[in-house]
Amino acid sequence: MPGCANIIGLSCIRCGASYSASTEIDSRGCPACREAAPVNLKPVYASPVDPLSIAPNAPRSMWRYAHALPCSLDDAVSLGEGQTPLIEAARIGRAVGVPNLFIKDEGRNPTWSHKDRFSTVAVSVARAQGSTVVATASSGNAGASLAAYAARAGLGCVVATFGGAANAMLAQIRKYGATVLPLANKMDRWTLLAEAATHYGWFIASPYHAPVVGSHALGIEGYKTIAYEIVEQSGGVAPDWCVLPVCYGDALFGVWTGFQELFAQGAISRLPRMVAAEVHGSLAQALATDRDRLEERSPAFESLAVSIGAPRSTYQALKALRESSGRAVPVNNNGLVDMQERLAHDEGIFAELASVTPLLAIARLREEGVIAPDDHVVAVATASGLKDLDRSCQPGVETLFRSTGEAWDWLGHNGASLVAGPRLTVPD
């Protein structure tokens, strides 16, 4: 496969059918499974992936695992992504009933979301294959990330979006120099991208056919590095549970694949159970049946967590949940902003609204007795709260103090705990 020295072919994650490395990844997935259950492909590596094999001079980024990714370090387009902190979150953990809680803060990536792990691989592959334009259908994070890496690589970038996308994210995309195309009909985004792939040879990173199978199969490999890092940062131990916000399940499947590779190499003695915090419940419905084809759900409400608001997820997400004996937890808007503020207030982590859905899912599973009180749980906070301020914050008028005396008077009435101790000197 051009630009992918490590890859010798592709295979279906459902039926196992093998395809040559020259097979076009066109968003429709496995040809043999399209009628029964549309499903993504995954790369087949020339030799077994060994996440433990890290070169002494490896970069301080997720490319330290280049040997486990589709393209070589020499071809990498990087902004220093990965190596995000795993933060002990005992305060918020006690609030949700799981004191042994850790937050993997993906908002520390270069464009402030986990999508950078996908984009660095996708853009590296695109450039190595000779593509001059990369494109995606995105409401925000994926578009901003792809735009940044396209800029780094010197490639053109087009982001097809829709009305109502978060303003902060659209501004970020444009600052990176990408072309933004807002379309009134969401489905027209996919039509445009399919036409662009056919007529202009653009490298399309996102899904652009229905039913969705997931994003570009090679880019998803970047998410494996989240699992590698979690285990390294936990002293070689996998958590009991790993919880992510889920739309099409790209990150969920990628992280699960990473844990499986670590287990196969003997780096961990057991596998975690995966949890999908979703919005409209297509995964929860599918888990309750033996069917592989997910059904589209009729949205009962407009989610504040817009980046995971799709009415149907994918088989790849369902596979990760089934194989790990995991769970899918539908999360609505109730308590979402409060949980975002509590996480920021208690732990100093300001996460996007979609990124706090795992905490609500954990609280639900703890209430149901599914998660035990002493379980080791990792929640992946996928993006920064700066991404959707227009959805999470109500505009207000700040009080302007005309003197320090007015400020101290206000504190005495509204911030008593801040001035409760003995006064060392008397403010003027």
Side-chain angles (χ1 to χ4, degrees), residues 35-349:
E35 295 302 318
V39 58
N40 217 341
L41 302 173
K42 67 178 297 184
V44 178
Y45 288 82
S47 58
V49 172
D50 182 5
L52 300 177
S53 176
I54 299 172
N57 60 343
R60 295 181 63 83
S61 75
M62 63 170 261
W63 284 97
R64 66 201 301 262
Y65 309 111
H67 56 281
L69 297 173
C71 54
S72 69
L73 181 58
D74 291 339
D75 289 324
V77 177
S78 177
L79 288 166
E81 55 292 317
Q83 298 297 292
T84 58
L86 182 67
I87 302 169
E88 186 176 5
R91 290 192 189 94
I92 198 74
R94 286 192 293 270
V96 299
V98 185
N100 194 17
L101 174 69
F102 290 77
I103 307 289
K104 182 65 168 164
D105 187 4
E106 288 294 286
R108 307 289 190 93
N109 279 300
T111 75
W112 317 309
S113 92
H114 71 307
K115 296 290 187 180
D116 292 347
R117 295 182 189 262
F118 173 95
S119 293
T120 184
V121 176
V123 171
S124 297
V125 170
R127 187 177 69 172
Q129 291 180 347
S131 298
T132 58
V133 178
V134 295
T136 186
S138 171
S139 60
N141 284 329
S145 181
L146 195 71
Y149 284 85
R152 180 70 171 169
L155 304 181
C157 182
V158 177
V159 178
T161 187
F162 54 86
N167 291 328
M169 295 205 211
L170 293 180
Q172 186 183 10
I173 293 168
R174 290 189 171 103
K175 290 293 186 182
Y176 290 129
T179 298
V180 178
L181 299 176
L183 294 161
N185 183 342
K186 276 189 177 183
M187 296 307 295
D188 284 346
R189 300 179 303 161
W190 290 357
T191 302
L192 184 146
L193 293 180
E195 292 171 348
T198 300
H199 299 301
Y200 297 101
W202 293 1
F203 183 100
I204 313 300
S206 69
Y208 58 98
H209 285 108
V212 177
V213 300
S215 297
H216 196 286
L218 300 186
I220 290 174
E221 292 289 285
Y223 292 129
K224 299 188 303 185
T225 61
I226 295 177
Y228 302 164
E229 290 177 18
I230 288 172
V231 169
E232 278 194 50
Q233 293 164 330
S234 302
V237 177
D240 295 300
W241 299 86
C242 186
V243 191
L244 293 89
V246 169
C247 182
Y248 297 141
D250 295 334
L252 182 78
F253 180 71
V255 172
W256 174 239
T257 301
F259 282 126
Q260 287 180 307
E261 290 175 352
L262 289 164
F263 183 74
Q265 292 296 325
I268 52 177
S269 59
R270 58 178 174 79
L271 289 162
R273 297 176 70 180
M274 306 297 292
V275 177
E278 58 175 345
V279 171
H280 297 300
S282 66
L283 288 168
Q285 181 189 48
L287 283 175
T289 72
D290 292 328
R291 301 173 64 185
D292 289 347
R293 190 182 186 95
L294 279 76
E295 299 299 326
E296 185 159 332
R297 306 279 286 175
S298 297
F301 65 100
E302 182 178 350
S303 177
L304 290 172
V306 64
S307 61
I308 59 170
R312 173 168 45 196
S313 191
T314 62
Y315 175 81
Q316 62 183 5
L318 180 62
K319 178 181 175 67
L321 296 178
R322 282 178 174 167
E323 289 182 344
S324 69
S325 299
R327 294 295 185 98
V329 181
V331 175
N332 57 31
N333 290 335
N334 295 336
L336 197 55
V337 174
D338 289 343
M339 184 62 79
Q340 181 195 50
E341 293 176 351
R342 186 161 196 169
L343 178 62
H345 181 273
D346 287 356
E347 304 292 352
I349 301 171

